[in-house]
Short mmCIF file of all heavy atoms in Angstrom, two decimals:
data_model
loop_
_atom_site.label_atom_id
_atom_site.label_comp_id
_atom_site.label_asym_id
_atom_site.label_seq_id
_atom_site.Cartn_x
_atom_site.Cartn_y
_atom_site.Cartn_z
N GLU A 81 -31.69 -9.52 -0.35
CA GLU A 81 -30.32 -9.26 0.02
C GLU A 81 -29.46 -8.79 -1.13
O GLU A 81 -29.68 -9.23 -2.26
CB GLU A 81 -29.69 -10.57 0.66
CG GLU A 81 -30.41 -10.99 1.91
CD GLU A 81 -30.30 -10.00 3.05
OE1 GLU A 81 -29.34 -9.27 3.12
OE2 GLU A 81 -31.31 -9.87 3.79
N GLY A 82 -28.55 -7.89 -0.90
CA GLY A 82 -27.62 -7.44 -1.90
C GLY A 82 -26.75 -8.56 -2.35
O GLY A 82 -26.27 -9.42 -1.65
N GLY A 83 -26.50 -8.64 -3.70
CA GLY A 83 -25.64 -9.73 -4.15
C GLY A 83 -24.54 -9.18 -5.06
O GLY A 83 -24.08 -8.04 -4.83
N ARG A 84 -24.29 -9.88 -6.10
CA ARG A 84 -23.21 -9.53 -7.03
C ARG A 84 -23.72 -9.08 -8.42
O ARG A 84 -24.77 -9.69 -8.83
CB ARG A 84 -22.26 -10.80 -7.25
CG ARG A 84 -21.00 -10.44 -8.17
CD ARG A 84 -20.21 -11.75 -8.25
NE ARG A 84 -18.95 -11.44 -8.99
CZ ARG A 84 -18.93 -11.57 -10.34
NH1 ARG A 84 -19.97 -11.81 -10.97
NH2 ARG A 84 -17.72 -11.25 -10.98
N VAL A 85 -23.25 -8.04 -8.98
CA VAL A 85 -23.63 -7.57 -10.31
C VAL A 85 -23.29 -8.71 -11.29
O VAL A 85 -22.14 -9.13 -11.33
CB VAL A 85 -22.98 -6.28 -10.76
CG1 VAL A 85 -23.42 -5.93 -12.14
CG2 VAL A 85 -23.38 -5.14 -9.76
N PRO A 86 -24.28 -9.19 -12.00
CA PRO A 86 -24.01 -10.38 -12.85
C PRO A 86 -23.06 -10.14 -14.01
O PRO A 86 -22.97 -8.92 -14.38
CB PRO A 86 -25.43 -10.73 -13.36
CG PRO A 86 -26.21 -9.43 -13.31
CD PRO A 86 -25.66 -8.74 -12.05
N ASP A 87 -22.45 -11.11 -14.50
CA ASP A 87 -21.49 -10.90 -15.61
C ASP A 87 -22.21 -10.53 -16.84
O ASP A 87 -21.58 -9.93 -17.76
CB ASP A 87 -20.75 -12.29 -15.85
CG ASP A 87 -19.84 -12.62 -14.67
OD1 ASP A 87 -19.36 -11.67 -13.96
OD2 ASP A 87 -19.61 -13.82 -14.56
N ASP A 88 -23.51 -10.80 -17.01
CA ASP A 88 -24.29 -10.38 -18.21
C ASP A 88 -24.93 -9.03 -18.02
O ASP A 88 -25.95 -8.74 -18.70
CB ASP A 88 -25.32 -11.49 -18.59
CG ASP A 88 -26.40 -11.62 -17.58
OD1 ASP A 88 -26.22 -11.21 -16.43
OD2 ASP A 88 -27.43 -12.22 -17.90
N ALA A 89 -24.48 -8.27 -17.12
CA ALA A 89 -25.04 -6.95 -16.92
C ALA A 89 -24.85 -6.07 -18.22
O ALA A 89 -23.98 -6.38 -19.00
CB ALA A 89 -24.28 -6.16 -15.76
N PRO A 90 -25.82 -5.16 -18.44
CA PRO A 90 -25.68 -4.31 -19.67
C PRO A 90 -24.28 -3.73 -19.85
O PRO A 90 -23.60 -3.35 -18.83
CB PRO A 90 -26.74 -3.20 -19.46
CG PRO A 90 -27.75 -3.87 -18.53
CD PRO A 90 -26.94 -4.77 -17.62
N ARG A 91 -23.86 -3.54 -21.03
CA ARG A 91 -22.49 -3.11 -21.34
C ARG A 91 -22.21 -1.71 -20.72
O ARG A 91 -21.13 -1.45 -20.21
CB ARG A 91 -22.28 -3.02 -22.81
CG ARG A 91 -20.89 -2.75 -23.23
CD ARG A 91 -20.75 -2.88 -24.83
NE ARG A 91 -21.06 -4.14 -25.33
CZ ARG A 91 -21.22 -4.48 -26.52
NH1 ARG A 91 -21.20 -3.52 -27.52
NH2 ARG A 91 -21.46 -5.74 -27.00
N THR A 92 -23.24 -0.82 -20.72
CA THR A 92 -23.03 0.47 -20.14
C THR A 92 -22.65 0.44 -18.68
O THR A 92 -21.82 1.15 -18.19
CB THR A 92 -24.30 1.33 -20.40
OG1 THR A 92 -24.43 1.57 -21.75
CG2 THR A 92 -24.12 2.69 -19.68
N VAL A 93 -23.33 -0.45 -18.01
CA VAL A 93 -23.04 -0.64 -16.51
C VAL A 93 -21.61 -1.15 -16.27
O VAL A 93 -20.87 -0.67 -15.49
CB VAL A 93 -24.14 -1.58 -15.89
CG1 VAL A 93 -23.71 -1.85 -14.41
CG2 VAL A 93 -25.53 -1.06 -15.99
N GLY A 94 -21.20 -2.15 -17.07
CA GLY A 94 -19.85 -2.75 -16.92
C GLY A 94 -18.83 -1.71 -17.28
O GLY A 94 -17.76 -1.61 -16.56
N ASP A 95 -19.12 -0.89 -18.29
CA ASP A 95 -18.15 0.18 -18.69
C ASP A 95 -18.09 1.26 -17.63
O ASP A 95 -16.99 1.76 -17.31
CB ASP A 95 -18.48 0.85 -20.01
CG ASP A 95 -18.28 -0.07 -21.22
OD1 ASP A 95 -17.59 -1.11 -20.99
OD2 ASP A 95 -18.67 0.27 -22.32
N ALA A 96 -19.23 1.54 -17.00
CA ALA A 96 -19.25 2.64 -15.94
C ALA A 96 -18.38 2.07 -14.74
O ALA A 96 -17.67 2.87 -14.14
CB ALA A 96 -20.62 2.91 -15.54
N MET A 97 -18.46 0.81 -14.42
CA MET A 97 -17.64 0.28 -13.29
C MET A 97 -16.18 0.46 -13.67
O MET A 97 -15.35 0.79 -12.76
CB MET A 97 -18.03 -1.22 -13.13
CG MET A 97 -19.34 -1.36 -12.54
SD MET A 97 -19.97 -3.13 -12.51
CE MET A 97 -18.80 -3.76 -11.27
N GLU A 98 -15.82 0.24 -14.96
CA GLU A 98 -14.41 0.43 -15.32
C GLU A 98 -13.96 1.97 -15.26
O GLU A 98 -12.93 2.27 -14.81
CB GLU A 98 -14.31 -0.07 -16.78
CG GLU A 98 -12.80 0.13 -17.36
CD GLU A 98 -11.73 -0.65 -16.57
OE1 GLU A 98 -12.11 -1.58 -15.84
OE2 GLU A 98 -10.52 -0.29 -16.72
N VAL A 99 -14.89 2.81 -15.58
CA VAL A 99 -14.59 4.22 -15.42
C VAL A 99 -14.29 4.62 -13.98
O VAL A 99 -13.37 5.32 -13.62
CB VAL A 99 -15.73 5.15 -16.05
CG1 VAL A 99 -15.60 6.63 -15.67
CG2 VAL A 99 -15.82 4.97 -17.56
N VAL A 100 -15.11 4.03 -13.01
CA VAL A 100 -14.97 4.26 -11.62
C VAL A 100 -13.62 3.85 -11.20
O VAL A 100 -12.89 4.53 -10.51
CB VAL A 100 -16.08 3.58 -10.85
CG1 VAL A 100 -15.78 3.64 -9.31
CG2 VAL A 100 -17.45 4.28 -11.06
N ARG A 101 -13.20 2.64 -11.67
CA ARG A 101 -11.87 2.23 -11.20
C ARG A 101 -10.76 3.10 -11.80
O ARG A 101 -9.83 3.37 -11.08
CB ARG A 101 -11.70 0.65 -11.72
CG ARG A 101 -12.57 -0.32 -10.93
CD ARG A 101 -12.18 -1.73 -11.32
NE ARG A 101 -12.63 -2.12 -12.66
CZ ARG A 101 -13.74 -2.65 -12.91
NH1 ARG A 101 -14.59 -2.98 -11.95
NH2 ARG A 101 -14.12 -3.01 -14.16
N ARG A 102 -10.90 3.57 -13.03
CA ARG A 102 -9.85 4.41 -13.58
C ARG A 102 -9.81 5.78 -12.96
O ARG A 102 -8.75 6.49 -13.06
CB ARG A 102 -10.17 4.54 -15.16
CG ARG A 102 -9.90 3.18 -15.86
CD ARG A 102 -9.83 3.49 -17.37
NE ARG A 102 -10.06 2.21 -18.11
CZ ARG A 102 -9.91 2.20 -19.40
NH1 ARG A 102 -9.66 3.30 -20.12
NH2 ARG A 102 -10.07 1.04 -20.06
N LEU A 103 -10.94 6.22 -12.37
CA LEU A 103 -10.98 7.52 -11.70
C LEU A 103 -10.41 7.39 -10.29
O LEU A 103 -10.47 8.36 -9.52
CB LEU A 103 -12.42 8.02 -11.70
CG LEU A 103 -13.01 8.55 -13.05
CD1 LEU A 103 -14.46 8.89 -12.81
CD2 LEU A 103 -12.19 9.65 -13.60
N LYS A 104 -10.04 6.18 -9.92
CA LYS A 104 -9.48 5.96 -8.62
C LYS A 104 -10.56 6.02 -7.50
O LYS A 104 -10.20 6.33 -6.30
CB LYS A 104 -8.27 6.82 -8.27
CG LYS A 104 -7.21 6.83 -9.28
CD LYS A 104 -6.55 5.42 -9.48
CE LYS A 104 -5.35 5.37 -10.41
NZ LYS A 104 -4.88 4.06 -10.73
N LEU A 105 -11.83 5.89 -7.89
CA LEU A 105 -12.91 5.78 -6.98
C LEU A 105 -13.13 4.24 -6.71
O LEU A 105 -12.45 3.41 -7.29
CB LEU A 105 -14.13 6.49 -7.50
CG LEU A 105 -14.02 7.95 -7.72
CD1 LEU A 105 -15.30 8.48 -8.37
CD2 LEU A 105 -13.71 8.62 -6.42
N ARG A 106 -14.16 3.91 -5.95
CA ARG A 106 -14.47 2.44 -5.70
C ARG A 106 -15.91 2.11 -5.81
O ARG A 106 -16.21 1.02 -6.19
CB ARG A 106 -13.95 2.16 -4.26
CG ARG A 106 -14.23 0.75 -3.83
CD ARG A 106 -13.60 0.37 -2.54
NE ARG A 106 -13.82 -1.07 -2.14
CZ ARG A 106 -13.33 -1.57 -1.14
NH1 ARG A 106 -12.51 -0.94 -0.29
NH2 ARG A 106 -13.53 -2.87 -0.79
N TYR A 107 -16.82 3.07 -5.57
CA TYR A 107 -18.19 2.78 -5.51
C TYR A 107 -19.00 3.44 -6.63
O TYR A 107 -18.68 4.55 -7.06
CB TYR A 107 -18.80 3.16 -4.15
CG TYR A 107 -18.08 2.47 -2.97
CD1 TYR A 107 -17.21 3.24 -2.12
CD2 TYR A 107 -18.34 1.19 -2.71
CE1 TYR A 107 -16.55 2.58 -1.10
CE2 TYR A 107 -17.72 0.53 -1.62
CZ TYR A 107 -16.82 1.21 -0.85
OH TYR A 107 -16.13 0.60 0.21
N LEU A 108 -20.08 2.79 -7.04
CA LEU A 108 -20.85 3.19 -8.11
C LEU A 108 -22.37 2.90 -7.76
O LEU A 108 -22.64 1.87 -7.33
CB LEU A 108 -20.50 2.53 -9.45
CG LEU A 108 -21.45 2.82 -10.64
CD1 LEU A 108 -21.31 4.21 -11.14
CD2 LEU A 108 -21.20 1.74 -11.83
N TRP A 109 -23.20 3.95 -7.96
CA TRP A 109 -24.66 3.81 -7.78
C TRP A 109 -25.34 3.62 -9.10
O TRP A 109 -25.21 4.55 -9.98
CB TRP A 109 -25.18 4.98 -7.01
CG TRP A 109 -26.61 4.75 -6.61
CD1 TRP A 109 -27.08 4.19 -5.42
CD2 TRP A 109 -27.80 5.11 -7.38
NE1 TRP A 109 -28.53 4.16 -5.42
CE2 TRP A 109 -28.94 4.68 -6.57
CE3 TRP A 109 -28.05 5.69 -8.61
CZ2 TRP A 109 -30.26 4.90 -6.95
CZ3 TRP A 109 -29.35 5.83 -9.04
CH2 TRP A 109 -30.38 5.36 -8.29
N VAL A 110 -25.99 2.52 -9.25
CA VAL A 110 -26.81 2.25 -10.53
C VAL A 110 -28.26 1.79 -10.00
O VAL A 110 -28.38 0.84 -9.29
CB VAL A 110 -26.17 1.20 -11.37
CG1 VAL A 110 -27.03 0.88 -12.61
CG2 VAL A 110 -24.73 1.47 -11.73
N ASP A 111 -29.27 2.48 -10.46
CA ASP A 111 -30.54 2.14 -9.91
C ASP A 111 -30.99 0.76 -10.13
O ASP A 111 -31.55 0.19 -9.22
CB ASP A 111 -31.62 3.16 -10.56
CG ASP A 111 -31.61 3.14 -12.11
OD1 ASP A 111 -30.82 2.40 -12.70
OD2 ASP A 111 -32.43 3.83 -12.70
N GLN A 112 -30.69 0.18 -11.30
CA GLN A 112 -31.11 -1.22 -11.57
C GLN A 112 -30.59 -2.21 -10.50
O GLN A 112 -31.18 -3.17 -10.16
CB GLN A 112 -30.66 -1.60 -12.96
CG GLN A 112 -31.13 -3.04 -13.31
CD GLN A 112 -30.63 -3.40 -14.76
OE1 GLN A 112 -29.90 -2.73 -15.37
NE2 GLN A 112 -31.02 -4.62 -15.10
N TYR A 113 -29.39 -1.92 -10.02
CA TYR A 113 -28.78 -2.91 -9.08
C TYR A 113 -28.72 -2.44 -7.63
O TYR A 113 -28.55 -3.31 -6.76
CB TYR A 113 -27.36 -3.27 -9.63
CG TYR A 113 -27.37 -3.93 -10.91
CD1 TYR A 113 -26.92 -3.24 -12.04
CD2 TYR A 113 -27.94 -5.17 -11.04
CE1 TYR A 113 -26.97 -3.90 -13.22
CE2 TYR A 113 -27.98 -5.81 -12.32
CZ TYR A 113 -27.46 -5.18 -13.43
OH TYR A 113 -27.59 -5.75 -14.71
N CYS A 114 -28.83 -1.17 -7.49
CA CYS A 114 -28.75 -0.68 -6.04
C CYS A 114 -30.07 -0.43 -5.42
O CYS A 114 -30.20 -0.15 -4.15
CB CYS A 114 -27.90 0.59 -6.06
SG CYS A 114 -26.22 0.34 -6.57
N ILE A 115 -31.19 -0.57 -6.11
CA ILE A 115 -32.48 -0.62 -5.59
C ILE A 115 -33.16 -1.96 -6.03
O ILE A 115 -33.11 -2.44 -7.06
CB ILE A 115 -33.43 0.51 -6.24
CG1 ILE A 115 -32.76 1.87 -6.04
CG2 ILE A 115 -34.79 0.49 -5.75
CD1 ILE A 115 -33.47 3.00 -6.73
N ASP A 116 -33.74 -2.57 -4.92
CA ASP A 116 -34.36 -3.86 -5.17
C ASP A 116 -35.72 -3.57 -6.00
O ASP A 116 -36.66 -3.15 -5.45
CB ASP A 116 -34.77 -4.52 -3.82
CG ASP A 116 -35.30 -5.89 -3.91
OD1 ASP A 116 -35.62 -6.32 -5.06
OD2 ASP A 116 -35.42 -6.64 -2.93
N GLN A 117 -35.64 -3.94 -7.23
CA GLN A 117 -36.77 -3.58 -8.13
C GLN A 117 -37.97 -4.43 -7.88
O GLN A 117 -39.11 -4.09 -8.27
CB GLN A 117 -36.28 -3.85 -9.56
CG GLN A 117 -35.09 -3.08 -10.02
CD GLN A 117 -35.34 -1.56 -10.03
OE1 GLN A 117 -36.42 -1.06 -10.39
NE2 GLN A 117 -34.28 -0.84 -9.60
N GLY A 118 -37.81 -5.53 -7.03
CA GLY A 118 -38.96 -6.30 -6.69
C GLY A 118 -39.59 -5.93 -5.42
O GLY A 118 -40.55 -6.56 -4.99
N ASN A 119 -39.06 -4.86 -4.76
CA ASN A 119 -39.59 -4.48 -3.40
C ASN A 119 -40.20 -3.07 -3.67
O ASN A 119 -39.59 -2.08 -3.74
CB ASN A 119 -38.45 -4.30 -2.45
CG ASN A 119 -38.95 -3.94 -0.96
OD1 ASN A 119 -39.89 -3.21 -0.88
ND2 ASN A 119 -38.30 -4.54 -0.05
N ALA A 120 -41.59 -3.10 -3.76
CA ALA A 120 -42.39 -1.84 -4.08
C ALA A 120 -42.07 -0.73 -3.08
O ALA A 120 -41.94 0.46 -3.50
CB ALA A 120 -43.85 -2.25 -4.19
N SER A 121 -42.05 -1.02 -1.83
CA SER A 121 -41.94 0.01 -0.83
C SER A 121 -40.48 0.62 -0.86
O SER A 121 -40.37 1.80 -0.81
CB SER A 121 -42.18 -0.51 0.60
OG SER A 121 -41.27 -1.54 0.90
N GLU A 122 -39.50 -0.23 -1.09
CA GLU A 122 -38.07 0.36 -1.22
C GLU A 122 -38.03 1.15 -2.45
O GLU A 122 -37.35 2.14 -2.52
CB GLU A 122 -37.09 -0.86 -1.23
CG GLU A 122 -35.69 -0.33 -1.41
CD GLU A 122 -34.66 -1.54 -1.36
OE1 GLU A 122 -34.87 -2.47 -0.71
OE2 GLU A 122 -33.63 -1.36 -2.19
N LEU A 123 -38.59 0.60 -3.56
CA LEU A 123 -38.52 1.32 -4.85
C LEU A 123 -39.11 2.73 -4.72
O LEU A 123 -38.52 3.68 -5.16
CB LEU A 123 -39.26 0.54 -5.91
CG LEU A 123 -39.17 1.09 -7.36
CD1 LEU A 123 -37.79 1.13 -7.86
CD2 LEU A 123 -40.03 0.19 -8.28
N HIS A 124 -40.26 2.82 -4.04
CA HIS A 124 -40.92 4.06 -3.93
C HIS A 124 -40.06 5.08 -2.98
O HIS A 124 -39.86 6.20 -3.30
CB HIS A 124 -42.28 3.94 -3.20
CG HIS A 124 -42.99 5.20 -2.84
ND1 HIS A 124 -43.62 6.02 -3.84
CD2 HIS A 124 -43.13 5.84 -1.65
CE1 HIS A 124 -44.09 7.07 -3.19
NE2 HIS A 124 -43.80 7.03 -1.91
N GLN A 125 -39.54 4.44 -1.94
CA GLN A 125 -38.72 5.29 -1.02
C GLN A 125 -37.44 5.80 -1.66
O GLN A 125 -37.04 7.03 -1.58
CB GLN A 125 -38.33 4.48 0.21
CG GLN A 125 -37.61 5.25 1.36
CD GLN A 125 -36.04 5.15 1.17
OE1 GLN A 125 -35.56 4.25 0.55
NE2 GLN A 125 -35.37 6.13 1.78
N GLN A 126 -36.74 4.97 -2.43
CA GLN A 126 -35.50 5.39 -3.11
C GLN A 126 -35.78 6.37 -4.30
O GLN A 126 -35.01 7.29 -4.45
CB GLN A 126 -34.78 4.14 -3.59
CG GLN A 126 -34.22 3.29 -2.46
CD GLN A 126 -33.06 3.84 -1.76
OE1 GLN A 126 -31.99 4.27 -2.42
NE2 GLN A 126 -33.09 3.92 -0.44
#
């Protein structure tokens, strides 16, 4: 199930989220968090 991006996420991911907010957008796609890395079939499909 989708959850929350952890507070200890890599700095680049956290900074990218800040860039999205400053661009007046709302959503960000990051492979590490938007694809379930533990689900082989989903990983292959995405």
Side-chain angles (χ1 to χ4, degrees):
E81 297 296 327
R84 183 179 184 276
V85 175
D87 293 333
D88 65 343
R91 186 176 298 171
T92 295
V93 175
D95 286 352
M97 293 171 66
E98 177 63 18
V99 171
V100 168
R101 289 189 288 265
R102 294 191 194 185
L103 291 177
K104 305 302 183 184
L105 297 173
R106 180 170 180 176
Y107 300 105
L108 173 68
W109 188 90
V110 182
D111 55 1
Q112 184 182 1
Y113 296 109
C114 296
I115 302 175
D116 187 349
Q117 303 295 320
N119 185 324
S121 61
E122 178 180 327
L123 184 61
H124 174 76
Q125 185 267 339
Q126 293 287 308

